Amino acid sequence: MPQASQRNRQPATQSKARPEQLTKRAASSTDDHVYGLVSVLYHALQGAQACEQYIEDAEKANDDALVTFFEECRDQQNERAGRAKSLLVERADDDSDDEEEDDDSDDDDSDDDEDT
């Protein structure tokens, strides 16, 4: 029987790029700091969801200490996700304000053209 480390090995012919890297390349117009926030938000939510399963497993095993630990982990992941979401919303608001200012300046330019 193969050892655990051998079972999880990928064939050498497969691409070494991880899905996160492929996503980042596809969204190359996204600023790195915004991408980082989205990534932290995504992984925090995934972690919180995983903790739900761990909590159920610990409850089935009647291990109160693990239940408490996994609940704390879930809560921390949810807090992290909430903070990342707030920071992301702030930056989205800043970007929309910048776009509105750009639109306003474009309107001013077109008014000048009409006067000449």
Side-chain angles (χ1 to χ4, degrees):
M1 177 175 214
Q3 294 177 348
S5 62
Q6 292 175 339
R7 279 186 271 149
N8 293 330
R9 285 190 185 162
Q10 296 178 353
T13 58
Q14 285 188 345
S15 171
K16 299 286 184 188
R18 297 187 315 220
E20 303 90 35
Q21 293 169 326
L22 297 174
T23 303
K24 187 171 183 180
R25 286 185 205 133
S28 60
S29 64
T30 304
D31 294 327
D32 286 343
H33 64 284
V34 173
Y35 176 83
L37 277 173
V38 171
S39 182
V40 168
L41 174 60
Y42 172 78
H43 290 286
L45 291 172
Q46 267 195 328
Q49 186 177 18
C51 286
E52 291 293 338
Q53 181 62 51
Y54 306 151
I55 291 167
E56 288 179 27
D57 294 343
E59 287 172 341
K60 288 177 187 173
N62 293 320
D63 193 330
D64 293 337
L66 282 183
V67 169
T68 301
F69 173 73
F70 290 131
E71 288 172 341
E72 290 170 358
C73 290
R74 178 202 54 207
D75 294 345
Q76 290 169 355
Q77 294 284 21
N78 283 327
E79 287 174 25
R80 185 172 296 113
R83 186 166 178 214
K85 180 180 175 184
S86 296
L87 291 167
L88 192 58
V89 167
E90 287 173 14
R91 275 136 190 87
D93 288 344
D94 289 347
D95 286 346
S96 67
D97 291 344
D98 291 344
E99 287 176 12
E100 287 176 14
E101 288 174 13
D102 289 344
D103 290 344
D104 290 344
S105 66
D106 289 345
D107 291 343
D108 292 343
D109 293 342
S110 64
D111 290 342
D112 292 341
D113 293 342
E114 291 174 9
D115 292 340
T116 56

